Amino acid sequence: MELGLIGLGKMGFNMAERLRQSGHKVVGFDFNAEAVKKLTDAGSVGVASLEDLVKNLQTPRAVWIMVPAGDPVDQTIAKLEPLMTKGDIFIDGGNSNYKDSQRRHAQLTPKGFHFVDVGTSGGIWGLKEGYSMMVGGDAEPVKRLTPIFEALAPAKQKGWGHVGPAGAGHFVKMVHNGIEYGMMQSYAEGFSIMKHKEPMSLDLAKIAQIWRYGSVVRSWLLDLTADALAKNPNLDGLEAYVADSGEGRWTVFEAIDLNVSAPVITESLIRRIRSRENNNFSDRMLSVMRNEFGGHAVKKKD
């Protein structure tokens, strides 16, 4: 099967390469000429414009968009629309808000196009391990895209599925990332507790390796943690600054809207935000309040 791919960052390139190795034709476009050349050198078809991308695909076409969420997706779709024909499929495989996916589906369907949202997990490891894909959209285009999903997934019948109507793919991926926040925070806190038990001189890298096998807390995330600790046991040279892609926030907003208690995911998000504050004002406020009501010592800057 043929697939057009827009966005040849690390993940986009690896997806193209996995598809190529599975026998699928990939036509790729990126504004970065070096990324296009890299794709061509790897054996796929790299093009210099959206017009060339569409021309190199037979109808009905399927174009997978891997660009940042929000306006870049809308702009890409707007530029593609005049070039595409009825029956073609637009696929958003990025981290879009599910409400945007519902809107795009509602806008494109009356024009004779299909829109499929694919929450995609796997990151830089997808080329080797395969991608987990949560697919939202109408049944007919999803069925047509099955060979693509089977090639990208860890196995034909594993790691991907049609989870619901338009927006459902990105909704499930949003919750997936919220859960990820909680898992990461839990591991971070546990290892921090052990790190601070200095009299025991615990070997965190060794403990991570022990937990990888037979333990109820074993996971791929723990595997990656163990690898990181083996390379840098004291995390030297790293700053305590944690970014977020936005999906954790959306998960918390949805939990509030649905009256669902999600304290772990919420606190994990708050901890990430707090990590970005220099000389945290709220902590200084706590310190001064303790001093005011109880005369507790306040630690001042040198």
Side-chain angles (χ1 to χ4, degrees):
M1 183 175 178
E2 296 182 347
L3 183 73
L5 182 61
I6 300 172
L8 301 174
K10 183 68 173 179
M11 189 169 177
F13 175 82
N14 284 350
M15 291 175 67
E17 184 63 7
R18 188 172 176 90
L19 287 169
R20 185 192 67 80
Q21 292 176 4
S22 300
H24 297 278
K25 175 185 175 181
V26 177
V27 181
F29 166 75
D30 195 286
F31 288 107
N32 184 334
E34 292 183 5
V36 174
K37 183 179 184 303
K38 181 180 178 182
L39 182 75
T40 303
D41 291 344
S44 291
V45 180
V47 296
S49 68
L50 293 179
E51 289 81 2
D52 286 341
L53 180 138
V54 172
K55 289 177 182 177
N56 276 275
L57 294 171
Q58 295 182 350
T59 57
R61 306 175 186 87
V63 178
W64 189 303
I65 301 169
M66 288 293 286
V67 301
D71 191 54
V73 178
D74 286 325
Q75 288 187 18
T76 302
I77 291 175
K79 292 175 181 178
L80 276 175
E81 261 195 66
L83 308 174
M84 305 274 271
T85 56
K86 290 183 178 181
D88 289 350
I89 307 173
F90 292 80
I91 309 158
D92 181 5
N95 286 329
S96 290
N97 188 297
Y98 80 94
K99 294 179 181 178
D100 287 337
S101 296
Q102 291 176 326
R103 170 178 56 81
R104 290 162 185 150
H105 177 271
Q107 291 172 341
L108 290 168
T109 300
K111 300 176 183 178
F113 299 119
H114 298 288
F115 179 86
V116 175
D117 54 290
V118 183
T120 311
S121 180
I124 62 174
W125 294 91
L127 176 58
K128 177 183 177 182
E129 304 288 342
Y131 296 90
S132 172
M133 291 165 291
M134 298 134 265
V135 184
D138 300 326
E140 193 276 325
V142 172
K143 182 178 180 180
R144 200 194 310 173
L145 292 169
T146 294
I148 296 295
F149 298 139
E150 290 180 340
L152 289 172
K156 282 189 174 183
Q157 305 300 325
K158 294 181 180 180
W160 79 276
H162 186 191
V163 298
H170 283 145
F171 183 86
V172 174
K173 177 57 161 52
M174 174 192 74
V175 177
H176 164 284
N177 280 26
I179 293 171
E180 180 184 292
Y181 278 38
M183 292 175 65
M184 292 174 68
Q185 185 66 31
S186 183
Y187 280 130
E189 291 177 7
F191 279 97
S192 181
I193 292 169
M194 291 187 288
K195 176 69 174 177
H196 282 79
K197 194 65 173 177
E198 294 179 356
M200 289 188 176
S201 300
L202 298 173
D203 186 336
L204 302 189
K206 181 177 182 179
I207 292 167
Q209 289 292 341
I210 293 170
W211 285 357
R212 290 180 63 197
Y213 305 98
S215 165
V216 295
V217 299
R218 65 186 183 273
S219 70
W220 185 48
L221 187 56
L222 180 62
D223 294 343
L224 298 176
T225 302
D227 290 343
L229 287 171
K231 297 173 185 174
N232 189 356
N234 295 314
L235 308 184
D236 295 328
L238 300 177
E239 291 187 12
Y241 184 102
V242 188
D244 72 279
S245 64
E247 291 190 295
R249 297 176 185 232
W250 300 340
T251 306
V252 172
F253 298 157
E254 285 295 323
I256 293 170
D257 287 344
L258 296 169
N259 288 320
V260 174
S261 176
V264 173
I265 295 174
T266 303
E267 178 59 21
S268 299
L269 171 64
I270 298 303
R271 291 299 302 177
R272 289 196 179 198
I273 295 172
R274 184 170 172 172
S275 75
R276 304 163 206 166
E277 297 184 22
N278 292 321
N279 197 13
N280 185 280
F281 185 80
S282 59
D283 284 351
R284 285 187 284 143
M285 283 296 300
L286 289 172
S287 179
V288 75
M289 281 187 280
R290 291 184 76 247
N291 177 257
E292 288 296 322
F293 72 70
H296 302 289
V298 175
K299 185 177 181 179
K300 298 183 179 181
K301 295 174 67 176
D302 295 332

